[in-house]
Amino acid sequence: MRLRTILIVALIWTLLALLFGWQLRLDAMYAGRRITAGQALVLATAGWYGWALLSPLVIWITRRLGITKRAIAIHVVLAIVLTLVKVAVTTEI
């Protein structure tokens, strides 16, 4: 993968983390809980960068399986497994 592509993809994941960090902070404020901008950013970044790290695997699986009914069923099962792995890893962070 070219450096430019990697930087663009990293920028997109970072933008998502920033937006969701801001949303997390606003949601907490509306609920009457206190969370700092730094805490919200760490939580959002851990979550979205977790997906960023799994992206190459997801793309590889999609290319390998193609798009058939069987592939979609396998993809759903793998999506559940990868989600559980991602949540377990990022929860520790």
Side-chain angles (χ1 to χ4, degrees):
M1 198 181 299
R2 293 183 6 210
L3 180 61
R4 180 177 176 192
T5 304
I6 293 170
L7 291 175
I8 290 170
V9 169
L11 178 66
I12 291 168
W13 286 112
T14 302
L15 231 129
L16 283 169
L18 290 171
L19 290 172
F20 276 79
W22 184 37
Q23 179 188 4
L24 180 62
R25 184 148 193 245
L26 289 176
D27 287 346
M29 287 169 47
Y30 285 129
R33 292 188 302 262
R34 191 158 188 182
I35 184 172
T36 67
Q39 290 170 324
L41 185 60
V42 167
L43 288 170
T45 302
W48 284 103
Y49 281 8
W51 285 120
L53 292 173
L54 288 172
S55 293
L57 177 61
V58 171
I59 292 167
W60 179 81
I61 289 169
T62 303
R63 287 181 178 166
R64 181 112 168 124
L65 294 178
I67 306 218
T68 64
K69 287 182 182 181
R70 181 177 177 267
I72 291 171
I74 293 169
H75 208 80
V76 168
V77 171
L78 288 174
I80 293 168
V81 170
L82 285 176
T83 299
L84 292 173
V85 168
K86 184 258 177 200
V87 168
V89 170
T90 56
T91 299
E92 289 302 314
I93 294 174

